[in-house]
Amino acid sequence: DKAGILDAMKMVVFDVVVHLPMIYFPTYYTVKEFVSMKSYNPVDWVKDGATKYAGNMKEDLTAMIKLWGPSDCVQFVLPLHIRMPFRHMVSFFWTGYVSFTRGSIEDEEEEEVEVAEAVEV
């Protein structure tokens, strides 16, 4: 049905254009800064998290689109009772990937060099 496909496309676009890049990743990097406890100031968590997100944005968004674009296209046409288990299964592997690639808490010196190199590119 044409209306259902159009609704599914809207949900995919919202997830890939709004939810993940503007809500998920900023929250992820802010919480990561909180957990690292390099500062007790929430403003520093947000500032440092935003800086790291900006440095990793191209790679993060590319990986996000490669996974969530196709999986959302499948998910949003599945029957309602299967959508959540499917989303949770994909999220499990996505969380593993993000934890593996971005989860380590680095020393400040290494971190500053990596951010400076990423900003220069």
Side-chain angles (χ1 to χ4, degrees):
D1 108 41
K2 188 175 180 178
I5 296 297
L6 186 59
D7 285 342
M9 287 175 33
K10 289 177 187 176
M11 289 186 278
V12 170
V13 169
F14 176 82
D15 198 40
V16 173
V17 174
V18 177
H19 172 245
L20 292 167
M22 295 182 197
I23 298 169
Y24 173 81
F25 277 119
T27 302
Y28 170 79
Y29 281 104
T30 300
V31 170
K32 184 179 175 210
E33 290 304 306
F34 164 71
V35 170
S36 73
M37 281 303 198
K38 294 177 184 172
S39 168
Y40 292 102
N41 185 351
V43 174
D44 290 338
W45 304 337
V46 173
K47 184 181 76 170
D48 294 344
T51 301
K52 287 181 183 171
Y53 178 40
N56 297 327
M57 184 177 282
K58 183 177 180 182
E59 185 179 330
D60 287 347
L61 294 181
T62 301
M64 180 261 312
I65 288 170
K66 285 180 180 179
L67 176 73
W68 287 110
S71 72
D72 281 351
C73 289
V74 171
Q75 172 191 325
F76 292 128
V77 296
L78 291 174
L80 287 174
H81 67 281
I82 298 176
R83 287 183 189 179
M84 290 303 287
F86 179 80
R87 180 77 175 198
H88 293 318
M89 181 188 68
V90 174
S91 292
F92 175 80
F93 291 105
W94 172 252
T95 302
Y97 168 78
V98 172
S99 295
F100 181 74
T101 59
R102 302 283 180 241
S104 67
I105 297 175
E106 304 164 340
D107 293 335
E108 285 186 32
E109 292 176 12
E110 290 177 26
E111 202 170 278
E112 289 173 5
V113 169
E114 287 180 10
V115 169
E117 290 173 354
V119 171
E120 288 177 5
V121 175

Coordinates of all heavy atoms in Angstrom, one line a residue, residues 28-84:
Y28 N 25.4 10.1 23.3 CA 26.5 9.0 23.5 C 27.8 9.7 24.0 O 28.4 9.2 25.0 CB 26.7 8.2 22.3 CG 27.9 7.3 22.3 CD1 27.8 6.1 23.0 CD2 29.1 7.7 21.8 CE1 28.9 5.3 23.1 CE2 30.2 6.9 21.9 CZ 30.1 5.7 22.6 OH 31.2 4.9 22.7
Y29 N 28.2 10.7 23.3 CA 29.5 11.3 23.6 C 29.5 12.0 24.9 O 30.5 12.1 25.7 CB 30.0 12.2 22.5 CG 30.6 11.4 21.3 CD1 29.9 11.2 20.2 CD2 31.9 10.9 21.4 CE1 30.5 10.5 19.1 CE2 32.4 10.1 20.4 CZ 31.7 9.9 19.2 OH 32.3 9.2 18.2
T30 N 28.4 12.6 25.3 CA 28.2 13.3 26.5 C 28.2 12.4 27.7 O 28.9 12.6 28.7 CB 26.9 14.2 26.6 OG1 27.0 15.1 25.5 CG2 26.7 14.9 27.9
V31 N 27.5 11.3 27.6 CA 27.5 10.2 28.6 C 28.9 9.6 28.7 O 29.4 9.3 29.9 CB 26.4 9.2 28.3 CG1 26.6 8.0 29.3 CG2 25.0 9.8 28.5
K32 N 29.6 9.4 27.6 CA 30.9 8.9 27.7 C 31.8 9.8 28.5 O 32.7 9.3 29.3 CB 31.5 8.7 26.3 CG 32.8 8.0 26.3 CD 33.3 7.8 24.9 CE 34.7 7.3 25.0 NZ 35.6 7.7 23.9
E33 N 31.7 11.1 28.3 CA 32.5 12.0 29.1 C 32.2 12.0 30.6 O 33.0 12.1 31.4 CB 32.4 13.4 28.5 CG 33.0 13.6 27.2 CD 34.5 13.3 27.2 OE1 35.2 13.8 28.0 OE2 34.9 12.5 26.3
F34 N 30.9 11.8 30.9 CA 30.4 11.7 32.2 C 31.1 10.5 32.9 O 31.6 10.6 34.0 CB 28.9 11.7 32.3 CG 28.4 11.2 33.6 CD1 28.4 12.0 34.7 CD2 27.8 9.9 33.7 CE1 28.0 11.5 36.0 CE2 27.3 9.5 34.9 CZ 27.4 10.2 36.0
V35 N 31.0 9.4 32.2 CA 31.5 8.1 32.7 C 33.0 8.2 32.9 O 33.6 7.6 33.9 CB 31.1 6.9 31.8 CG1 31.8 5.7 32.2 CG2 29.6 6.7 31.9
S36 N 33.8 8.9 32.1 CA 35.2 9.0 32.2 C 35.6 9.8 33.4 O 36.7 9.7 33.9 CB 35.8 9.6 31.0 OG 35.6 11.0 30.9
M37 N 34.7 10.6 33.9 CA 34.9 11.4 35.2 C 36.2 12.2 35.1 O 36.9 12.3 36.1 CB 34.9 10.6 36.4 CG 33.5 10.2 36.8 SD 32.6 11.7 37.1 CE 31.3 11.1 38.1
K38 N 36.5 12.9 34.0 CA 37.7 13.7 34.0 C 37.3 15.1 34.6 O 38.2 15.9 34.9 CB 38.2 13.9 32.5 CG 38.7 12.6 31.9 CD 39.1 12.8 30.5 CE 39.5 11.5 29.9 NZ 39.7 11.6 28.5
S39 N 36.0 15.4 34.7 CA 35.6 16.6 35.2 C 34.2 16.3 36.0 O 33.5 15.4 35.6 CB 35.4 17.6 34.1 OG 34.7 18.8 34.6
Y40 N 33.9 17.2 36.9 CA 32.7 17.1 37.6 C 31.7 18.1 37.1 O 30.6 18.3 37.7 CB 32.9 17.2 39.1 CG 33.6 16.0 39.7 CD1 34.9 16.1 40.0 CD2 33.0 14.8 39.9 CE1 35.6 15.0 40.5 CE2 33.6 13.7 40.4 CZ 35.0 13.8 40.7 OH 35.6 12.7 41.2
N41 N 32.0 18.8 36.1 CA 31.2 19.9 35.5 C 30.4 19.4 34.3 O 31.0 19.1 33.3 CB 32.1 21.1 35.2 CG 31.3 22.3 34.7 OD1 30.1 22.2 34.5 ND2 32.0 23.4 34.5
P42 N 29.1 19.4 34.4 CA 28.3 18.9 33.2 C 28.6 19.7 31.9 O 28.4 19.2 30.8 CB 26.9 19.1 33.7 CG 26.9 19.0 35.2 CD 28.2 19.7 35.5
V43 N 28.9 21.0 32.1 CA 29.2 21.8 30.9 C 30.4 21.2 30.2 O 30.5 21.2 28.9 CB 29.4 23.3 31.3 CG1 29.8 24.1 30.1 CG2 28.1 23.8 31.9
D44 N 31.4 20.8 30.9 CA 32.6 20.2 30.4 C 32.3 18.9 29.6 O 32.8 18.5 28.6 CB 33.7 19.9 31.4 CG 34.3 21.2 31.9 OD1 34.2 22.2 31.2 OD2 34.9 21.1 33.1
W45 N 31.3 18.1 30.2 CA 30.9 16.8 29.6 C 30.4 17.1 28.2 O 30.7 16.4 27.2 CB 29.9 16.1 30.4 CG 30.3 15.8 31.8 CD1 31.5 15.7 32.3 CD2 29.4 15.5 32.9 NE1 31.4 15.4 33.7 CE2 30.1 15.3 34.0 CE3 28.0 15.5 33.0 CZ2 29.6 15.0 35.3 CZ3 27.4 15.3 34.2 CH2 28.2 15.0 35.3
V46 N 29.5 18.1 28.1 CA 28.8 18.4 26.9 C 29.8 19.0 25.9 O 29.9 18.6 24.7 CB 27.6 19.4 27.1 CG1 27.1 19.9 25.8 CG2 26.6 18.8 27.9
K47 N 30.7 19.9 26.4 CA 31.7 20.5 25.5 C 32.7 19.5 25.0 O 32.9 19.4 23.7 CB 32.4 21.6 26.3 CG 33.4 22.4 25.4 CD 34.1 23.5 26.3 CE 35.1 22.7 27.1 NZ 36.1 23.5 27.8
D48 N 33.2 18.7 25.8 CA 34.2 17.7 25.4 C 33.5 16.6 24.5 O 34.1 16.1 23.5 CB 34.8 17.0 26.6 CG 35.7 18.0 27.4 OD1 36.0 19.0 26.9 OD2 36.0 17.6 28.6
G49 N 32.3 16.2 24.9 CA 31.6 15.3 24.0 C 31.3 15.8 22.7 O 31.4 15.1 21.7
A50 N 30.9 17.1 22.6 CA 30.6 17.7 21.3 C 31.9 17.8 20.4 O 31.9 17.6 19.2 CB 30.0 19.1 21.5
T51 N 33.0 18.1 21.1 CA 34.3 18.2 20.4 C 34.7 16.8 19.8 O 35.1 16.7 18.7 CB 35.4 18.7 21.3 OG1 35.0 19.9 21.8 CG2 36.7 18.8 20.6
K52 N 34.5 15.7 20.6 CA 34.8 14.4 20.1 C 33.9 14.0 19.0 O 34.3 13.4 18.0 CB 34.8 13.4 21.3 CG 36.0 13.6 22.2 CD 36.0 12.6 23.3 CE 37.1 12.8 24.2 NZ 37.0 12.0 25.4
Y53 N 32.6 14.3 19.2 CA 31.6 14.0 18.1 C 32.0 14.7 16.8 O 32.0 14.1 15.7 CB 30.2 14.3 18.6 CG 29.2 14.1 17.5 CD1 29.2 13.0 16.7 CD2 28.1 15.0 17.4 CE1 28.2 12.7 15.8 CE2 27.1 14.8 16.5 CZ 27.1 13.6 15.7 OH 26.1 13.4 14.8
A54 N 32.4 15.9 16.9 CA 32.8 16.7 15.7 C 34.0 16.0 15.0 O 34.0 16.0 13.8 CB 33.1 18.1 16.1
G55 N 34.9 15.6 15.8 CA 36.1 14.9 15.3 C 35.8 13.6 14.6 O 36.5 13.2 13.7
N56 N 34.8 12.9 15.1 CA 34.5 11.6 14.6 C 33.3 11.5 13.7 O 32.8 10.5 13.3 CB 34.2 10.6 15.8 CG 35.4 10.4 16.7 OD1 36.6 10.4 16.2 ND2 35.2 10.2 18.0
M57 N 32.7 12.7 13.5 CA 31.4 12.8 12.8 C 31.3 12.0 11.5 O 30.4 11.3 11.2 CB 30.9 14.2 12.7 CG 29.5 14.4 12.1 SD 29.0 16.1 12.0 CE 28.6 16.4 13.7
K58 N 32.3 12.3 10.6 CA 32.3 11.7 9.3 C 32.2 10.2 9.3 O 31.4 9.5 8.7 CB 33.4 12.2 8.5 CG 33.4 11.7 7.0 CD 34.6 12.3 6.2 CE 34.5 11.8 4.8 NZ 35.7 12.3 4.0
E59 N 33.1 9.6 10.1 CA 33.2 8.2 10.2 C 32.0 7.6 10.9 O 31.4 6.6 10.5 CB 34.5 7.8 11.0 CG 34.7 6.3 11.1 CD 35.9 5.9 11.8 OE1 36.9 6.7 11.8 OE2 36.0 4.9 12.4
D60 N 31.5 8.3 12.0 CA 30.3 7.8 12.7 C 29.1 7.8 11.9 O 28.3 6.9 11.9 CB 30.1 8.6 14.0 CG 31.1 8.4 15.1 OD1 31.9 7.4 15.0 OD2 31.2 9.2 16.0
L61 N 28.9 8.9 11.2 CA 27.6 9.0 10.4 C 27.7 8.1 9.2 O 26.6 7.5 8.8 CB 27.4 10.5 9.9 CG 27.2 11.5 11.0 CD1 27.0 12.9 10.5 CD2 26.0 11.1 11.9
T62 N 28.9 7.9 8.6 CA 29.0 6.9 7.5 C 28.6 5.5 8.0 O 27.8 4.8 7.3 CB 30.4 6.9 6.9 OG1 30.7 8.2 6.5 CG2 30.5 5.9 5.8
A63 N 29.1 5.1 9.1 CA 28.8 3.8 9.7 C 27.3 3.7 10.0 O 26.7 2.7 9.8 CB 29.7 3.5 10.9
M64 N 26.8 4.8 10.6 CA 25.4 4.8 11.0 C 24.5 4.6 9.8 O 23.5 3.8 9.8 CB 25.1 6.1 11.7 CG 23.7 6.3 12.2 SD 22.6 7.3 11.2 CE 23.5 8.7 10.8
I65 N 24.8 5.3 8.7 CA 23.9 5.3 7.5 C 24.0 3.9 6.9 O 23.0 3.3 6.4 CB 24.3 6.4 6.5 CG1 23.8 7.7 7.1 CG2 23.7 6.1 5.2 CD1 24.3 8.9 6.3
K66 N 25.2 3.3 6.9 CA 25.4 2.0 6.3 C 24.6 0.9 7.1 O 24.1 -0.1 6.4 CB 26.9 1.6 6.3 CG 27.7 2.3 5.3 CD 29.2 1.8 5.4 CE 30.0 2.5 4.3 NZ 31.4 2.1 4.4
L67 N 24.5 1.0 8.4 CA 23.7 0.0 9.1 C 22.3 0.4 9.3 O 21.4 -0.4 8.9 CB 24.3 -0.2 10.5 CG 23.5 -1.1 11.4 CD1 23.8 -2.6 10.9 CD2 23.9 -1.0 12.8
W68 N 22.0 1.6 9.8 CA 20.6 1.9 10.1 C 19.7 2.2 8.9 O 18.5 2.0 9.0 CB 20.6 3.1 11.1 CG 21.0 2.6 12.5 CD1 22.2 2.9 13.1 CD2 20.3 1.7 13.3 NE1 22.2 2.3 14.3 CE2 21.1 1.5 14.5 CE3 19.1 1.0 13.2 CZ2 20.7 0.7 15.5 CZ3 18.8 0.2 14.3 CH2 19.6 0.0 15.4
G69 N 20.3 2.7 7.8 CA 19.5 3.0 6.6 C 18.8 1.7 6.2 O 17.6 1.6 6.1
P70 N 19.6 0.7 5.8 CA 19.0 -0.6 5.3 C 18.2 -1.3 6.4 O 17.1 -1.8 6.1 CB 20.2 -1.4 5.0 CG 21.3 -0.5 4.7 CD 21.1 0.7 5.6
S71 N 18.6 -1.3 7.7 CA 17.9 -2.0 8.7 C 16.6 -1.3 9.0 O 15.5 -1.9 9.3 CB 18.7 -2.2 10.0 OG 18.9 -1.0 10.7
D72 N 16.5 0.0 8.9 CA 15.3 0.8 9.1 C 14.3 0.5 8.0 O 13.1 0.4 8.2 CB 15.5 2.3 9.2 CG 16.0 2.7 10.6 OD1 16.0 1.9 11.5 OD2 16.4 3.9 10.7
C73 N 14.8 0.4 6.8 CA 14.0 0.1 5.6 C 13.3 -1.3 5.8 O 12.1 -1.5 5.5 CB 14.8 0.0 4.3 SG 15.3 1.7 3.8
V74 N 14.0 -2.2 6.4 CA 13.4 -3.5 6.7 C 12.5 -3.4 7.9 O 11.4 -3.9 7.9 CB 14.5 -4.6 7.0 CG1 13.9 -5.9 7.5 CG2 15.4 -4.8 5.7
Q75 N 13.0 -2.8 8.9 CA 12.2 -2.8 10.2 C 10.8 -2.1 10.0 O 9.8 -2.6 10.5 CB 13.0 -2.0 11.2 CG 12.2 -1.7 12.5 CD 12.9 -0.7 13.4 OE1 14.1 -0.7 13.5 NE2 12.2 0.1 14.1
F76 N 10.8 -1.0 9.3 CA 9.5 -0.3 9.3 C 8.5 -0.9 8.3 O 7.4 -0.4 8.2 CB 9.8 1.2 8.9 CG 10.5 1.9 10.0 CD1 11.6 2.6 9.8 CD2 10.0 1.9 11.3 CE1 12.3 3.3 10.8 CE2 10.7 2.5 12.4 CZ 11.8 3.3 12.1
V77 N 8.8 -1.9 7.6 CA 7.8 -2.7 6.8 C 7.5 -4.0 7.5 O 6.6 -4.7 7.0 CB 8.3 -2.8 5.4 CG1 8.4 -1.5 4.7 CG2 9.5 -3.7 5.2
L78 N 8.1 -4.3 8.6 CA 7.8 -5.6 9.3 C 6.5 -5.4 10.1 O 6.1 -4.3 10.4 CB 8.9 -5.9 10.3 CG 10.2 -6.4 9.7 CD1 11.3 -6.5 10.8 CD2 10.1 -7.7 8.9
P79 N 5.8 -6.5 10.4 CA 4.7 -6.4 11.3 C 5.1 -5.8 12.6 O 6.2 -6.0 13.1 CB 4.2 -7.9 11.4 CG 4.8 -8.6 10.3 CD 6.1 -7.9 9.9
L80 N 4.1 -5.1 13.2 CA 4.4 -4.4 14.5 C 5.0 -5.3 15.6 O 5.9 -4.9 16.3 CB 3.1 -3.8 15.0 CG 2.7 -2.5 14.3 CD1 1.3 -2.1 14.8 CD2 3.7 -1.4 14.4
H81 N 4.5 -6.5 15.7 CA 5.0 -7.4 16.8 C 6.5 -7.9 16.5 O 7.1 -8.4 17.4 CB 4.1 -8.6 17.0 CG 4.0 -9.6 15.9 ND1 3.3 -9.3 14.7 CD2 4.6 -10.8 15.7 CE1 3.5 -10.3 13.9 NE2 4.2 -11.2 14.4
I82 N 7.0 -7.7 15.4 CA 8.4 -8.1 15.1 C 9.4 -6.9 15.1 O 10.5 -7.1 15.2 CB 8.4 -8.9 13.7 CG1 7.6 -10.1 13.8 CG2 9.8 -9.3 13.3 CD1 7.4 -10.9 12.5
R83 N 8.9 -5.7 15.0 CA 9.7 -4.6 14.8 C 10.7 -4.4 16.0 O 11.9 -4.2 15.9 CB 8.9 -3.3 14.7 CG 8.3 -3.2 13.3 CD 7.6 -1.8 13.2 NE 6.8 -1.8 12.0 CZ 6.0 -0.8 11.6 NH1 5.9 0.2 12.3 NH2 5.4 -0.9 10.5
M84 N 10.1 -4.5 17.2 CA 11.0 -4.3 18.4 C 12.1 -5.3 18.6 O 13.2 -5.0 18.8 CB 10.1 -4.2 19.7 CG 9.3 -2.9 19.8 SD 10.3 -1.4 19.6 CE 11.1 -1.4 21.2

